[in-house]
């Protein structure tokens, strides 16, 4: 089995059992473990007729490689996948308050996992990622997201620029995050159908992605120039998403 067919860690496995039990084929729990969370996971799995095995720590290490498993792993068939054709339904179901996070080429699975966790916490409608030149949802992403990868729709698209244009046709305003932008994130209205577009770790937004945004905004950083020039993409995602949440609750 490849690592991508397994999820590891207490939060990730618990979330998969809770939200997508039909795709959990087997749960392996460390033999002799006393952690009450592991006992709870085992009980929940058995209630859902999922096979559970108590195994030696070495068996878990062999499945996960270098991924920290916290004493539990699950063999996972497939999470629900979303494609470009699902976006219209997701946006329409939000009834004028769609909140999307568009990630243009995030390469680090830990960053993607953290972005998904923020998106889930913010109640985002979906996270959009390109299929090429970007990390996809894998075991590391699932563990880092603490289960969010199974609760927020992740839409993997072939052509990001085309998808952005389709979103605009659906009445979604696209705001790209760029450090040099004159407009502040806090100056734009994020209460309607909005997509927040962030670039990858290295070069930020690509040219075509920029061109398809309705506007570019920046996060004010009073400390810039003191050794901090930009924020990590996962931190920036959290800031932008929760500014939208703040406005929507005002």
């Amino acid at each position: 089995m490849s690592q991508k067919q397994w999820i590891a860690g207490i939060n990730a496995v618990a979330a998969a059992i809770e939200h997508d039990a039909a795709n959990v084929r087997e749960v392996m729990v460390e033999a002799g473990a006393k952690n009450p969370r592991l006992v709870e996971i085992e009980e929940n799995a058995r209630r859902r007729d999922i096979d559970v095995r108590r195994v030696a720590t070495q068996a878990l290490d062999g499945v996960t490689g270098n991924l920290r498993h916290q004493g539990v792993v699950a063999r996972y068939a497939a999470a629900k996948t979303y494609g470009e054709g699902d976006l219209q339904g997701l946006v329409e179901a939000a009834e004028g308050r769609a909140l999307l996070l568009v990630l243009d080429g995030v390469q680090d699975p830990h960053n993607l996992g953290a972005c998904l966790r923020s998106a889930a916490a913010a109640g985002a409608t979906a996270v959009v990622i390109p299929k090429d030149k970007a990390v996809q949802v894998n075991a590391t992403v699932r563990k880092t997201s603490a289960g969010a990868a199974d609760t927020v729709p992740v839409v993997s698209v072939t052509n990001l620029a085309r998808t952005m244009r389709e979103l605009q046709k659906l009445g979604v305003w696209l705001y790209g995050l760029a450090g040099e932008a004159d407009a502040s994130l806090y100056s734009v209205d994020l209460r309607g159908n909005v997509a927040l577009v962030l670039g990858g770790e290295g070069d930020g937004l690509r040219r075509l992605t920029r061109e398809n945004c309705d506007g570019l905004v920046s996060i004010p950083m009073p400390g810039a120039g003191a050794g901090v020039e930009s924020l990590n993409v996962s931190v920036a995602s959290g800031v932008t998403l929760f500014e939208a949440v703040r406005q929507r609750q005002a």
Side-chain angles (χ1 to χ4, degrees):
M1 293 288 181
S2 71
Q3 184 171 309
K4 290 185 179 180
Q5 292 174 289
W6 294 85
I7 53 177
I10 289 172
N11 289 333
V13 173
I17 293 170
E18 180 69 25
H19 300 290
D20 197 20
N23 283 314
V24 180
R25 298 293 182 256
E26 176 187 20
V27 173
M28 294 166 56
V29 181
E30 182 181 354
K34 305 298 183 184
N35 187 330
R37 291 288 309 280
L38 295 179
V39 174
E40 181 182 350
I41 286 172
E42 182 174 356
E43 291 174 348
N44 287 341
R46 292 190 188 281
R47 276 198 297 268
R48 291 167 169 80
D49 294 323
I50 299 169
D51 290 335
V52 179
R53 283 196 292 150
R54 287 273 183 167
V55 299
T57 302
Q58 291 88 338
L60 299 179
D61 293 340
V63 166
T64 60
N66 294 325
L67 192 62
R68 185 165 170 261
H69 51 69
Q70 299 175 298
V72 62
V73 301
R75 185 159 56 88
Y76 204 61
K80 177 174 172 53
T81 57
Y82 295 83
E84 293 155 84
D86 296 306
L87 278 172
Q88 181 173 349
L90 290 167
V91 170
E92 290 177 350
E95 299 181 335
R97 291 173 61 84
L99 176 60
L100 297 101
L101 179 64
V102 179
L103 300 173
D104 181 21
V106 171
Q107 303 284 337
D108 187 330
H110 296 92
N111 279 336
L112 178 57
C115 288
L116 294 181
R117 190 170 185 175
S118 293
T125 304
V127 176
V128 180
I129 60 175
K131 289 182 178 178
D132 296 327
K133 298 181 180 178
V135 66
Q136 303 299 298
V137 176
N138 59 26
T140 302
V141 172
R142 289 188 182 284
K143 185 174 187 302
T144 307
S145 75
D150 300 308
T151 60
V152 62
V154 180
V155 183
S156 185
V157 303
T158 304
N159 187 313
L160 187 60
R162 181 181 64 206
T163 298
M164 292 171 68
R165 292 191 292 270
E166 291 300 318
L167 286 172
Q168 289 169 324
K169 292 177 184 176
L170 293 171
V172 179
W173 287 82
L174 279 68
Y175 292 103
L177 201 66
E180 73 281 4
D182 293 328
S184 165
L185 168 69
Y186 307 121
S187 69
V188 295
D189 188 346
L190 302 176
R191 292 173 294 179
N193 286 331
V194 170
L196 304 168
V197 188
L198 282 77
E201 296 89 350
D203 300 325
L205 296 175
R206 292 177 293 177
R207 179 183 60 82
L208 273 179
T209 306
R210 284 173 174 264
E211 291 176 356
N212 281 286
C213 288
D214 294 299
L216 297 177
V217 297
S218 60
I219 298 173
M221 294 196 301
V228 179
E229 298 301 327
S230 63
L231 296 175
N232 175 280
V233 62
S234 63
V235 174
S237 293
V239 172
T240 53
L241 284 165
F242 280 94
E243 170 58 15
V245 171
R246 184 194 68 81
Q247 290 188 21
R248 289 164 188 237
Q249 292 180 340

